[in-house]
Amino acid sequence: MSSLRPRATPRATTPRATTALLGAGLALVTALAATGCGSGDSPAAGDAKSAAGGDRAADVRLRWTACSAPTAAQGSDGKAPGKAWECAKLPVPLDYAKPDGEKIELALIRTKARDKDKRLGSLVFNFGGPGGSGVATLPALATGYDKLRERYDLVSFDPRGVGESAGVRCLSDKENDAASQVDGTPDDAAEERTALATNKAFVDACAKNSAKLLPHVDTLSAARDMDRLRAALGDDKLNYFGISYGTELGGVYAHTFPGNVGRAVLDAVVDPTQDPVQGNLGQAKGFQLALDNYLKDCASSAQAARCPTQERIVSLLKKLDAQPLPTRQGRKLTQDEAVNGIASALYSKDTWKFLTQGLQEAMNKGSGDTLLLLYDLLTGRGSDGRYSNLGPANRAISCADARQRYTADDVKGRLADFRAASPVFGESAAWSLLGCTGWPVEGKWKTIDVSAKGSAPIVVIGNTGDPATPYAGAHRMAEGLGKDVAVEVTYKGEGHGAYNSGNSCMVRAVDAYLLDGKVPAQGTTCS
């Protein structure tokens, strides 16, 4: 399993989705990995002025201009987002301990509210990752938030270290391709040495190419950036829609600036109480649950005769461990790529049919085409062979946050637990714990403190079938925020996230809060 932490999977193509296979209206498939990072040394709650650099943030005048096409680092399809969109740059301190020192610029994008007379301000989105480009993603998904645009300027950004906001750089595209062919779930000492050497090469490349950035791409710094963004937008309060990792960022923001929280929604919620081992183990169970649900659904459908079984999937993965499958691209589908390709299709029920297609191709035709495409979408690889910086940014932010560092012996000592959690995803989830091994920057915390006493109500949405951010995490986030702050809402469904499911009950509840200030009843459930 990839070492990427989860990000949003709204129902639209990823900005670099390259084929009609996952055409418009389908899930943006993404990352699979550890969710347990959090805050322990943030500034005192309510100390917004000292944390964000004070009134200097409000003095920034944003210069909005026509947007050009997103870059390769952001995940570009080569097309500009259109006349309704404007882009700008926001200068922020590289190091908030030196607020008057070196600056970096954050890439911003917005589309203005249609009803100027009833405009409520800006609604800032973070779609997750960490590492997802908001500049590339928001225009691609904006139709799903069209009603909110009536009264809000829809705004997003590339967080620090992401895309065009001083994006972290590590390996070259060719080196990334080569690294993807290395067995990430080693079976013997030789494979283990190769896997560890590959991980070290990635870490060394990040240190060589992005040394100055790595200490400063943590989530707390990103939360401080968001408060500067709020001020620069001219808003007294931050109205916020955070999805997947965006819920972690939202929780850290609320803890750091509780008095600055406006109307906020957290959807597909990261569990703030888990360390990386607990987070990875929880995700192995979550993706196994989603796979079980997919298999049951497929077996009861009209295409039941084409449906795989878990036993056949496990057998396929064992064969791939020994002999990768060919593809029309000329690349080989490895065991690790297949596991992540399967996982990516589980982020939305809309892509389950492509999972069936990919597994049938692999099992019956000896072709890895569809599963490799799903893997490429997850890792940000375009059909031209260029990668977005999703992977490097994800690793850098995760390792700047999490203090824990694991060894191969630590992983091997927990393999039995992970295999028991999932015969398909368990081993990969376990070995991905080595992602921060040897990282040149010490992490900031062991688990997140999201307590937000004094904050406005925050709607916290959990999805019972969510594979990447399992349902229990929403309740723990709500407990962490505080009973007088968090309002828990449940969606009984499949896929990563709830609002993007199109469920009318869920959409009504969120829209009523964001547009009219009507807080949902505690415990509201949609199905």
Side-chain angles (χ1 to χ4, degrees), residues 363-384:
M363 292 173 180
N364 300 332
K365 300 180 181 180
S367 167
D369 287 324
T370 299
L371 289 179
L372 186 62
L373 172 61
L374 290 165
Y375 170 82
D376 285 349
L377 289 172
L378 182 145
T379 54
R381 186 188 192 276
S383 60
D384 56 4

Side-chain angles (χ1 to χ4, degrees), residues 247-430:
T247 68
E248 179 177 319
L249 177 58
V252 172
Y253 180 89
H255 172 73
T256 311
F257 308 104
N260 291 354
V261 175
R263 297 175 186 175
V265 174
L266 307 182
D267 186 7
V269 183
V270 170
D271 186 337
T273 69
Q274 292 183 329
D275 64 23
V277 169
Q278 294 165 331
N280 278 26
L281 191 60
Q283 279 203 327
K285 294 175 181 177
F287 277 92
Q288 184 62 48
L289 173 63
L291 179 64
D292 293 343
N293 291 343
Y294 153 74
L295 292 172
K296 290 175 185 176
D297 180 81
C298 191
S300 64
S301 70
Q303 59 175 349
R306 299 180 63 238
C307 293
T309 63
Q310 179 165 284
E311 290 73 17
R312 291 194 69 196
I313 293 172
V314 171
S315 177
L316 170 67
L317 295 174
K318 288 181 179 178
K319 291 177 182 177
L320 288 171
D321 192 26
Q323 184 63 53
L325 285 179
T327 70
R328 287 193 295 267
Q329 296 183 35
R331 296 158 63 206
K332 298 283 190 178
L333 175 76
T334 65
Q335 180 191 51
D336 290 338
E337 290 168 332
V339 168
N340 282 280
I342 292 168
S344 72
L346 295 174
Y347 272 82
S348 171
K349 194 171 183 179
D350 287 338
T351 47
W352 285 4
K353 59 187 175 184
F354 298 118
L355 178 53
T356 302
Q357 176 181 325
L359 290 171
Q360 285 294 320
E361 286 178 359
M363 292 173 180
N364 300 332
K365 300 180 181 180
S367 167
D369 287 324
T370 299
L371 289 179
L372 186 62
L373 172 61
L374 290 165
Y375 170 82
D376 285 349
L377 289 172
L378 182 145
T379 54
R381 186 188 192 276
S383 60
D384 56 4
R386 295 186 302 172
Y387 287 78
S388 74
N389 97 312
L390 170 63
N394 186 289
R395 183 89 68 101
I397 296 167
S398 299
C399 298
D401 282 350
R403 190 170 295 161
Q404 295 87 344
R405 302 291 185 258
Y406 300 101
T407 67
D409 286 342
D410 293 330
V411 172
K412 287 183 282 189
R414 299 300 298 267
L415 273 175
D417 295 334
F418 278 86
R419 287 168 177 154
S422 172
V424 174
F425 305 107
E427 285 199 25
S428 187

Side-chain angles (χ1 to χ4, degrees), residues 42 148 185 290 342 527:
S42 56
L148 299 175
T185 56
I342 292 168
S527 59

